[in-house]
Amino acid sequence: MSNRVTNLLVPIVSVVLGLIVGAIIMLVSGYSPIEGYAALWNGIFGDLYTIGETLRQITPYLLAGLAVAFAFRSGLFNIGVEGQLIVGWFAAAYVGVAVELPKIIHLPLAIIAAAVAGALWGFVPGLLKAKFRVHEVIVTIMMNYIALHVTNALIKTVSEGGDRTERIFASASLRSEFLENLTEFSRLHLGLLLALIMVGVMWLILEKTTLGFELKAVGFNQNASEYAGMNVNKNIILAMVISGAFAGLAGAMEALGTFEYVSSKGGFTGIGFDGIAVALLGMNTPLGVVFGATLFGSLKYGALNMPNAAGIPIEIVEIVIAVIIFFVASGYIIRLLLLRAAGKKKEAK
Amino acid sequence: MSFMDILYFIVPSAIFYAAPLILVAIGGVFSERSGVVNIGLEGLMVIGAFVGILFNLLFADTFGGMTPWLALIAAMVAALLLSLLHAVASISFRADQVVSGVAINLLAIALALYLVKSIFDKGQTDFISERFARYNVPFLSDIPVIGPLFFTSVYNTSFFAIGVAVLAWFVIYKTPFGLRLRAVGEHPMAADTMGINVTRMRYVAVMISGALAGIGGAIYAQTITGDFGHSTINGQGFMALAAMIFGKWHPLGAMGAALFFGFAQSLSIVGSSIPYIQEIPNVFLLILPYVLTIFALAGFIGRANAPKANGKPYIKGQR
């Protein structure tokens, strides 16, 4: 079996194993897995409206996945996508409610604000990693909590003691009548287009620019890159900043598209953490992220149908997702088993 | 309110908030000293909290006042089993330890909520009836100043946590087991050459971390929240991870950091009724532990060195 084929098989096997574990858990707790997965399927593809909503759910996952994947490619693990998303969400919503401008200025301004906020939240761990060799994993986790508490406090200030901001002005909204009419008035918005453009942007950066080449080189081997005359520290900071900007854009999708406001949160949205799974499943390539995000966005939205249609708690899908991450992370053992299975086949021949 | 009154108010509640953090942070020390990063502490705490509350609700009538303590054992076993999953992935399957830890966190909260909804048919459990008792330590509570600060209306669990920290210090620094544990985390190949079973040491260390995190979660749920829902353990595990780093991977350091974080947490909760402190916006107290950890990591508060082999799978024969 070629390396390429095993690389593709690992995520597929992981997804299948995840679904099997989910089925076993449903069976053990007295639910019917067939009913459960049928409800999940209908929750994803049931009618035009659900398809529209599924696509809407995929949008932030695309960007969160890109953020994690981009950092991974530069040898960095950005667990802070969640926090970067939260500050991006707030920044976009704030620009959306604070001023009213012509759409052509207002919407780009709100989007850029989100990207800048996310980038700033990625800059801190990047700088600390570059200057003090502090591991980015712990710093980004801490930055997540700081983002959560700080944005909650800011929302309170902006809304004068309330729990959520006003609705954003229409001039900052990503809503599109065309997409809504197409999907029986789902909340599908133009953000999907932006997210897909960003997939192309990431591909361009990584494959067609000197910067992308340097970032990947640093990801492969820092010492070799240093020796080749690259500025490793600058590249680490840049990688985290760009990754954070992608994450901030994911927040803009929620602020300007789906919800059109920001409310204070008791906990994390989970989108940033699922972004890790999306990136891993997509093997950190832009195209892979599209597949990963499609899978997770569909699972997440489809799960909402499970309690009503089959009486099964939606958490079963979260369990499936966790198991998939677990198996993707344990890719080594799956590879080994696949190779062994392939070897046996050869002997049998 | 005089200064002493404020202290009498805050110090006991700081210790009370710190107890679960101490236990979980010590668990983290064991795991990371053996070279296995355990981001999954949060998830292990969640499972501990869930099983602790569930056991308490199911058996309160049978065991009466002993229930909370027995619930700790149940929680310990459950979290230990979950930690095995992390051990298998990160030690035997050579998974990225951080990713495996993230999976443990997602799995634990999803599994616990799934079970809560399946069993109780709603988003959170009922409130427990049997709680840990608070009491005044005889004689010691009569000592002026120190008595009211440390020995009046205290929980046994606080003494238990401090006892575990001291015991952990003894085990890690004064016993052959501890020496092997540290050797495996610093230089697994050298340890292997000396005949130490690296894989077994790491399994044991991760299981200890699971057990302690489970107990910590159960103490948190049974003393502070009293029920279990999606936000019961909201970042406590990560706070413990921060305490472990802030305490420089040392059990007593971790305890000190956990006490400080407990202090910050209790300030952010009771601070609104204390003069001067109520002037400070709450958000600063909420983010204090996280900001301090970042400063500590950046070396502004003395250099901390993680165990050298932390986070790397050990592959026999590979240099």
Side-chain angles (χ1 to χ4, degrees):
Chain A
M1 219 173 338
S2 73
N3 216 4
R4 215 195 168 97
V5 176
T6 34
N7 274 347
L8 265 175
L9 273 177
V10 168
I12 295 172
V13 169
S14 304
V15 171
V16 173
L17 284 173
L19 291 172
I20 292 175
V21 171
I24 293 173
I25 292 176
M26 280 190 263
L27 211 58
V28 169
S29 42
Y31 302 115
S32 154
I34 297 170
E35 256 179 58
Y37 283 139
L40 182 66
W41 181 266
N42 287 332
I44 303 168
F45 301 110
D47 50 28
L48 276 174
Y49 173 84
T50 44
I51 292 176
E53 283 286 310
T54 303
L55 286 172
R56 176 194 58 75
Q57 188 73 63
I58 290 169
T59 309
Y61 283 109
L62 277 170
L63 289 160
L66 288 181
V68 180
F70 194 86
F72 260 133
R73 287 299 277 275
S74 325
L76 299 161
F77 193 176
N78 184 4
I79 303 198
V81 171
E82 182 71 36
Q84 294 146 14
L85 183 152
I86 291 174
V87 292
W89 186 338
F90 175 80
Y94 180 74
V95 172
V97 291
V99 286
E100 191 172 12
L101 296 161
K103 185 147 198 161
I104 193 117
I105 304 169
H106 201 181
L107 180 58
L109 193 68
I111 291 173
I112 291 169
V116 169
L120 192 72
W121 231 248
F123 173 73
V124 175
L127 180 76
L128 292 174
K129 170 94 176 183
K131 293 282 173 213
F132 302 103
R133 298 285 134 204
V134 181
H135 206 296
E136 72 280 6
V137 164
I138 304 294
V139 180
T140 50
I141 289 175
M142 300 302 141
M143 294 291 287
N144 284 345
Y145 284 96
I146 297 174
L148 186 66
H149 292 305
V150 168
T151 51
N152 279 350
L154 287 174
I155 290 164
K156 209 164 208 176
T157 319
V158 171
S159 62
E160 277 145 21
D163 273 340
R164 49 164 279 196
T165 61
E166 300 279 312
R167 220 161 230 287
I168 57 169
F169 284 108
S171 55
S173 171
L174 280 165
R175 276 171 87 154
S176 134
E177 253 175 57
F178 172 70
L179 290 175
E180 284 173 4
N181 287 332
L182 204 65
T183 57
E184 292 174 2
F185 302 100
S186 76
R187 285 176 293 171
L188 182 62
H189 53 82
L190 289 170
L192 182 62
L193 228 61
L194 182 72
L196 288 174
I197 292 171
M198 284 301 140
V199 172
V201 167
M202 169 161 161
W203 179 81
L204 275 177
I205 296 178
L206 281 179
E207 305 301 331
K208 297 288 165 201
T209 64
T210 326
L211 170 70
F213 179 78
E214 288 199 10
L215 289 176
K216 282 188 291 179
V218 170
F220 278 126
N221 190 328
Q222 284 196 5
N223 298 329
S225 314
E226 185 96 61
Y227 187 68
M230 295 175 195
N231 186 340
V232 171
N233 285 347
K234 190 194 83 187
N235 280 314
I236 287 175
I237 297 176
L238 257 178
M240 281 307 286
V241 166
I242 295 173
S243 169
F246 279 129
L249 286 178
M253 298 299 106
E254 304 297 84
L256 310 175
T258 306
F259 295 99
E260 304 195 306
Y261 60 84
V262 58
S263 53
S264 63
K265 299 173 187 61
F268 291 121
T269 66
I271 298 170
F273 298 119
D274 291 333
I276 299 167
V278 169
L280 284 173
L281 209 63
M283 287 171 305
N284 304 322
T285 62
L287 196 62
V289 165
V290 175
F291 288 113
T294 306
L295 180 74
F296 283 108
S298 309
L299 284 177
K300 277 283 168 118
Y301 185 72
L304 299 176
N305 190 38
M306 292 178 83
N308 287 330
I312 300 172
I314 53 173
E315 278 76 18
I316 190 72
V317 162
E318 312 272 336
I319 297 176
V320 170
I321 290 177
V323 173
I324 293 174
I325 302 178
F326 182 81
F327 282 119
V328 173
S330 311
Y332 159 76
I333 199 76
I334 295 179
R335 247 168 257 265
L336 204 70
L337 292 175
L338 284 173
L339 285 176
R340 212 167 271 173
K344 279 226 178 91
K345 245 183 222 159
K346 251 181 210 159
E347 276 167 31
K349 271 179 193 165
Chain B
M1 206 186 258
S2 77
F3 180 68
M4 276 326 278
D5 284 337
I6 295 173
L7 273 190
Y8 292 154
F9 195 33
I10 285 182
V11 170
S13 98
I15 297 173
F16 162 68
Y17 275 100
L21 284 181
I22 294 174
L23 288 163
V24 183
I26 302 283
V29 170
F30 272 98
S31 173
E32 303 225 341
R33 277 287 175 185
S34 82
V36 181
V37 170
N38 200 346
I39 303 268
L41 288 176
E42 170 91 1
L44 295 165
M45 251 187 115
V46 167
I47 284 297
F50 166 65
V51 172
I53 292 290
L54 188 68
F55 183 93
N56 194 312
L57 287 170
L58 289 178
F59 294 107
D61 295 335
T62 323
F63 296 117
M66 282 301 288
T67 317
W69 291 98
L70 293 172
L72 292 189
I73 297 173
M76 178 185 83
V77 173
L80 191 149
L81 290 176
L82 184 65
S83 74
L84 268 179
L85 215 56
H86 181 56
V88 171
S90 54
I91 302 166
S92 300
F93 292 177
R94 301 178 194 173
D96 185 315
Q97 295 171 4
V98 176
V99 179
S100 162
V102 170
I104 294 287
N105 288 337
L106 295 177
L107 183 65
I109 187 80
L111 197 64
L113 279 184
Y114 178 80
L115 291 173
V116 165
K117 283 189 184 166
S118 298
I119 298 169
F120 297 88
D121 225 16
K122 55 180 179 178
Q124 74 263 9
T125 66
D126 301 324
F127 278 91
I128 55 172
S129 52
E130 286 296 338
R131 291 204 173 208
F132 286 108
R134 279 167 176 250
Y135 57 95
N136 300 336
V137 181
F139 308 118
L140 293 176
S141 58
D142 298 333
I143 305 172
V145 186
I146 294 176
L149 274 184
F150 300 110
F151 299 109
T152 306
S153 78
V154 286
Y155 281 105
N156 267 335
T157 49
S158 302
F159 293 116
F160 174 68
I162 292 165
V164 167
V166 175
L167 184 71
W169 166 79
F170 182 80
V171 168
I172 292 176
Y173 286 98
K174 303 287 165 193
T175 65
F177 172 83
L179 183 63
R180 289 187 196 125
L181 182 83
R182 284 178 291 140
V184 164
E186 290 293 332
H187 202 315
M189 198 171 66
D192 193 13
T193 315
M194 296 303 290
I196 299 170
N197 187 335
V198 176
T199 306
R200 196 172 62 199
M201 282 307 291
R202 288 189 168 177
Y203 263 89
V204 171
V206 172
M207 280 153 67
I208 293 175
S209 81
L212 288 176
I215 297 175
I219 289 182
Y220 188 86
Q222 290 185 100
T223 53
I224 296 171
T225 57
D227 70 342
F228 181 84
H230 72 96
S231 60
T232 299
I233 306 292
N234 194 1
Q236 292 295 315
F238 289 117
M239 192 96 89
L241 199 71
M244 175 196 76
I245 293 164
F246 201 56
K248 300 179 182 177
W249 288 268
H250 188 291
L252 299 181
M255 179 180 75
L259 281 169
F260 180 77
F261 288 175
F263 181 67
Q265 260 184 308
S266 72
L267 269 190
S268 69
I269 289 159
V270 301
S272 55
S273 48
I274 298 171
Y276 305 117
I277 293 169
Q278 61 194 1
E279 316 272 309
I280 306 170
N282 198 252
V283 58
F284 290 107
L285 296 169
L286 284 172
I287 65 173
L288 184 67
Y290 307 113
V291 174
L292 277 176
T293 304
I294 292 177
F295 280 132
L297 276 167
F300 299 136
I301 311 174
R303 250 272 164 257
N305 282 321
K308 280 227 171 49
N310 208 7
K312 297 184 193 85
Y314 174 61
I315 303 164
K316 236 180 177 23
Q318 192 190 57
R319 280 199 281 177

